[in-house]
Amino acid sequence: MTDALKRLSDEGVAIWLDDLSRKRITSGNLAELIDQSHVVGVTTNPSIFQKAISEGHGYDRQLEDLAAREVTVEEAIRMITTADVRDAADILRPVFDATQGQDGRVSIEVDPRLAHNTKATVAEAKQLAWLVDRPNTLIKIPATQAGLPAITEVIGLGISVNVTLIFSLERYRAVMDAYLAGLEKAKERGLDLSKIHSVASFFVSRVDTEIDKRLDSIGTDEAKALRGKAALANARLAYEAYEEVFSSDRWAALDKAQANKQRPLWASTGVKDPAYKDTLYVDELVAPGTVNTMPEATLEATADHGEITGNTIAGTYEQARADLAALAKLGIGYDDVVQLLEDEGVDKFEASWNDLLKSTEAELKRLAPSEA
């Protein structure tokens, strides 16, 4: 084991775990990762919960009680997932207190079927914040067109938000704008801005997966030379946008009111292509004020052989722009790729949610009390 995770943390990168299950909570594993692996936050999504609930018997006791009460499948899912998030938030509370609320956070996602419904997303975010009832929760709202005004409204109510499914630079700027507008609303309402936090989850590996596929179909040496460059270029230019927005006059006014910057969070950092180093999206996206949420395999790989050599984003913007320009020259449309990825991302989470509904319904039926 190297001390790469400590070095990463010392560089100003908050290490979050992209996974949660009841077993991880009750076995002491989460507490161990916080204690030994510099983990300071947890993210969840419908896919993670679907996997957790469908594997093993860790949820049987609660499911049995829910079945006895004859609750709906949707209510059962909400009771199960918010219980896990609440317990994880309690385990992370000391980190939350030590970092003045910046870390020690657990994220929970609004129902992905509401991704294109602003009003319902706001209502769901309010309900989730109330259900979990922990100050170190982040409510995940997708960065769809309908999600943007929902982000503003929810932040304006003083609820901390993790904006998810961001793929494009243009949309990322719109997300930061929505956050600032929400802070301005909160300020007008007399809320304490120092208590409102947010991260913007910018997805990484999926960009390479899609663009590499297109490069492979082109098949030229020029195309092959660009494999594995798009995701890093995209993320690095997102950090440039973050630096610009959070050094603007508009931000300065909010900064005076004790507002917190919305940190960029690198999501989908597990490497999908075995040709690439398994810590690629950790080693090459080191910069202060960022979060990297990793699946456990990536966390372990980073601990074992991550190469943390300081800031790997500073000074890369010109090359990043050149890499994206080279892709455009080959006919790979950036706007087309990022819109496809957003649509797929929403669809995948919705499919996972539907799988979660089905597997939970089956468990409720299995554990329902037999009629006497």
Side-chain angles (χ1 to χ4, degrees), residues 4-24:
L5 293 173
K6 182 180 188 306
R7 290 201 301 280
L8 187 62
S9 186
D10 289 344
E11 287 292 338
V13 180
I15 299 164
W16 291 9
L17 177 71
D18 192 26
D19 191 51
L20 186 63
S21 67
R22 191 150 300 175
K23 184 179 179 185
R24 199 180 280 287

Side-chain angles (χ1 to χ4, degrees), residues 67-80:
R69 288 174 50 217
E70 298 182 357
V71 304
T72 66
V73 179
E74 300 207 0
E75 187 184 348
I77 288 169
R78 277 298 173 228
M79 292 300 101
I80 290 165

Side-chain angles (χ1 to χ4, degrees), residues 52-83:
I53 293 169
S54 62
E55 290 180 359
H57 298 280
Y59 296 88
D60 279 8
R61 188 175 295 174
Q62 187 178 10
L63 280 162
E64 204 170 311
D65 289 344
L66 291 165
R69 288 174 50 217
E70 298 182 357
V71 304
T72 66
V73 179
E74 300 207 0
E75 187 184 348
I77 288 169
R78 277 298 173 228
M79 292 300 101
I80 290 165
T81 57
T82 53

